Amino acid sequence: MEILSELVPVDKKSSVKGVLENYLLELGVLEDAYITSRYLMREFTRQKVEKLAKAVKEIMKIVA
């Protein structure tokens, strides 16, 4: 996740680092879901999915 802050332009680095700090837990959950999705079935509540989607949209808005 930290590599993302190294790939963005200099003017966006602080914004990306801030978002990564704010959504650290959500990004960790997404990372775990991605890694384990091949091996384990996991269900998420609607509330968790909405929170994760919010984090992804916020990050995409800053990076794009």
Side-chain angles (χ1 to χ4, degrees):
M1 289 184 279
E2 284 93 29
I3 198 165
L4 181 60
S5 64
E6 295 175 16
L7 297 174
V8 295
V10 175
D11 61 325
K12 292 187 177 186
K13 282 185 187 264
S14 63
S15 297
V16 170
K17 283 186 179 186
V19 170
L20 290 176
E21 289 175 8
N22 289 340
Y23 293 112
L24 187 63
L25 183 62
E26 289 85 350
L27 291 170
V29 170
L30 285 171
E31 186 177 31
D32 291 343
Y34 175 77
I35 292 168
T36 60
S37 65
R38 291 191 74 177
Y39 309 104
L40 302 171
M41 181 131 173
R42 180 168 180 194
E43 293 184 16
F44 291 92
T45 63
R46 181 178 195 87
Q47 184 180 10
K48 284 183 183 178
V49 170
E50 289 171 351
K51 199 169 192 172
L52 295 172
K54 179 184 173 190
V56 170
K57 287 177 186 175
E58 185 72 26
I59 293 167
M60 288 177 63
K61 184 173 29 171
I62 289 174
V63 173

